[in-house]
Amino acid sequence: MILLITPSVKVQESAKALESAASEPLHVAGTLRQAVGLLRSEEYSAVLVDQSLIESDPDESDLVLQHMGSAIPVYINFGISGLDRVVRELRSALHRRKREAVVATRTAEQNLRNELKGPLTALLLSCEMALEAPDISVAGPKIRKAWELAKEVRSKLGANA
């Protein structure tokens, strides 16, 4: 979902064109205060902000930034930008957001793998050593189950060690 923040009636009339160009629903806020209300109630992928609003009320614009969440801000001077340029800027921002999300996901996955490799290897080694002990009659099946679960986690993480 996209949020368009502008007092311009002319730009608001172009909202349908922006909505179809982005292939996402679009909400329109005529003021920064309305935008804050919408940002509190919905999650947006991008927020198109009229630069004239930012310059006229910097305090309220800071409040908008605080409530954007993961939405990518796109600042446009609607007085000099045509609809084609706004569409290009919006598409570019949405594409950039998708790329950043993919990179963030990969980084988080890699960090998780790196964090779990050491303890997982230690768990596997401890289980193997316990299974080799001379008297494991009572704890043996439970240790074997822990070892099998640790191996399953290792395979899901893609760890080789």
Side-chain angles (χ1 to χ4, degrees):
M1 197 167 341
I2 298 166
L3 178 60
L4 170 62
I5 309 170
T6 182
S8 171
V9 175
K10 178 184 172 190
V11 175
Q12 290 178 5
E13 292 171 358
S14 304
K16 289 292 182 198
L18 288 169
E19 188 174 54
S20 65
S23 302
E24 288 189 42
L26 186 130
H27 290 162
V28 178
T31 66
L32 292 171
R33 188 167 303 276
Q34 287 175 347
V36 169
L38 289 170
L39 287 166
R40 285 181 178 159
S41 64
E42 297 285 339
E43 183 70 27
Y44 293 93
S45 56
V47 178
L48 287 165
V49 184
D50 193 328
Q51 285 180 336
S52 66
L53 286 174
I54 300 296
E55 294 165 2
S56 67
D57 194 353
D59 292 334
E60 194 76 24
S61 63
D62 285 344
L63 193 58
V64 168
L65 282 173
Q66 291 173 8
H67 287 89
M68 271 194 203
S70 63
I72 190 160
V74 181
Y75 299 100
I76 302 288
N77 184 335
F78 289 108
I80 61 172
S81 298
L83 184 60
D84 291 340
R85 180 175 178 175
V86 174
V87 167
R88 280 193 311 273
E89 293 286 334
L90 178 59
R91 284 182 179 159
S92 175
L94 291 172
H95 181 69
R96 186 171 58 250
R97 181 178 187 263
K98 286 179 185 175
R99 273 195 332 261
E100 289 171 356
V102 167
V103 168
T105 300
R106 286 183 186 154
T107 301
E109 288 172 351
Q110 188 60 43
N111 287 341
L112 180 62
R113 271 191 207 94
N114 291 339
E115 280 185 42
L116 294 178
K117 277 183 185 178
L120 188 59
T121 300
L123 177 62
L124 285 168
L125 288 173
S126 295
C127 287
E128 286 176 8
M129 288 174 25
L131 288 170
E132 292 173 2
D135 184 25
I136 62 163
S137 58
V138 176
K142 292 180 182 182
I143 293 172
R144 181 165 302 284
K145 182 64 178 173
W147 180 72
E148 289 170 359
L149 289 171
K151 283 180 57 178
E152 182 180 333
V153 170
R154 181 180 65 181
S155 70
K156 286 182 180 180
L157 288 173
N160 295 328

